[in-house]
C-alpha cells in the first residue's frame, strides 16, 4: 500500500509512520517480541512525527489518541480523544517549537507489544526569549495489525 492511500483515508498518523517498518516488526510482534533496536526505532519515529505535528498542525495530533486514551497535563487528568484534543488546541499559544534532548523507549508488556516512550526537551514559544524545559511520557499500545495509539500521555514542565 502507498502512504498517500493511508493519508486519504485518515488512518491515524502513527499508522502512516509505522507502515514502512512494520514488515520488520510484524513477524516479531506475532510472538510479542521486539528487540531493543526495534523498540527504539518505533519510539523515535513516533516522537519525531508527534512533535512535528504538534508544532505545525496541532489539530492533527488527535489522530494519535483513542476514546480510551488518557492525558495527565500538568496534573490535570483528561480522558478521551475529544477532551484531549480540546485541551491541546486550547493551549494559550498558537505556535511553538519542541527541541528534543532525549528519547528513551522500552517495551512495557511482553503480552501486548506496547511501548513506553520518555521524552525530555525544551519548548520554545513564539515571542518568548527563554524556552521551557519539559518531560513527557507516552504509552503506545498496538492498534490493529499495523499501528499504535497513545493510551497514556503524561506531560510536565520542569520549573526551577
Amino acid at each position: 500500500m502507498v502512504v498517500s492511500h493511508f493519508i486519504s483515508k485518515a488512518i491515524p498518523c502513527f499508522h502512516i509512520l509505522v507502515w514502512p517498518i512494520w514488515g520488520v516488526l510484524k513477524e516479531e510482534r506475532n510472538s510479542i517480541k521486539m528487540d531493543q533496536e526495534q523498540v527504539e526505532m518505533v519510539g523515535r519515529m513516533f516522537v519525531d512525527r508527534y512533535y512535528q505535528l504538534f508544532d505545525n498542525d496541532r489539530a492533527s495530533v488527535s489522530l494519535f489518541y483513542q476514546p480510551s486514551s488518557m492525558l495527565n497535563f500538568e496534573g490535570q487528568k483528561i480522558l478521551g480523544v475529544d477532551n484531549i484534543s480540546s485541551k491541546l488546541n486550547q493551549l494559550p499559544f498558537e505556535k511553538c517549537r519542541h527541541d528534543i534532548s532525549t528519547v528513551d523507549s522500552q517495551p512495557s508488556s511482553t503480552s501486548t507489544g506496547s511501548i513506553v516512550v520518555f521524552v525530555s526537551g525544551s519548548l520554545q514559544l513564539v515571542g518568548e526569549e527563554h524556552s521551557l524545559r519539559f518531560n513527557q511520557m507516552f504509552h503506545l499500545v498496538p492498534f490493529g495489525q499495523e499501528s499504535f495509539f497513545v493510551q497514556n500521555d503524561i506531560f510536565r514542565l520542569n520549573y526551577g
Side-chain angles (χ1 to χ4, degrees):
M1 290 193 174
V2 181
V3 170
S4 62
H5 173 72
F6 290 114
I7 293 170
S8 67
K9 288 192 155 206
I11 303 293
C13 292
F14 194 43
H15 184 92
I16 295 166
L17 261 182
V18 174
W19 182 255
I21 64 166
W22 196 255
V24 174
L25 301 178
K26 192 172 185 179
E27 185 176 321
E28 292 292 327
R29 186 162 167 257
N30 286 340
S31 65
I32 315 296
K33 289 188 177 191
M34 287 186 269
D35 67 31
Q36 188 58 36
E37 184 178 326
Q38 293 168 324
V39 169
E40 293 284 342
M41 181 171 48
V42 170
R44 187 66 209 198
M45 290 179 76
F46 166 76
V47 165
D48 290 346
R49 184 67 172 154
Y50 182 90
Y51 292 112
Q52 185 267 330
L53 282 175
F54 192 102
D55 293 352
N56 297 293
D57 184 16
R58 195 175 314 158
S60 294
V61 171
S62 66
L63 296 172
F64 289 107
Y65 300 93
Q66 293 291 310
S68 65
S69 297
M70 293 175 276
L71 168 65
N72 187 324
F73 188 89
E74 289 291 304
Q76 180 184 6
K77 293 172 179 29
I78 302 158
L79 176 63
V81 62
D82 293 336
N83 294 328
I84 292 169
S85 178
S86 179
K87 174 64 179 179
L88 296 178
N89 287 306
Q90 291 176 6
L91 291 172
F93 54 89
E94 286 188 36
K95 291 286 187 178
C96 64
R97 185 185 78 240
H98 288 84
D99 293 315
I100 306 307
S101 301
T102 62
V103 176
D104 297 302
S105 303
Q106 63 183 350
S108 68
S109 171
T110 57
S111 63
T112 65
S114 58
I115 299 171
V116 172
V117 181
F118 183 79
V119 181
S120 65
S122 60
L123 175 63
Q124 183 67 52
L125 303 179
V126 173
E128 295 293 326
E129 182 179 344
H130 301 287
S131 60
L132 304 167
R133 300 287 303 155
F134 76 93
N135 292 110
Q136 193 161 9
M137 186 282 305
F138 300 96
H139 180 213
L140 306 178
V141 174
F143 181 71
Q145 289 291 331
E146 301 163 345
S147 62
F148 291 84
F149 74 95
V150 176
Q151 175 62 48
N152 305 91
D153 178 352
I154 300 172
F155 176 88
R156 280 283 182 180
L157 291 172
N158 301 329
Y159 297 103

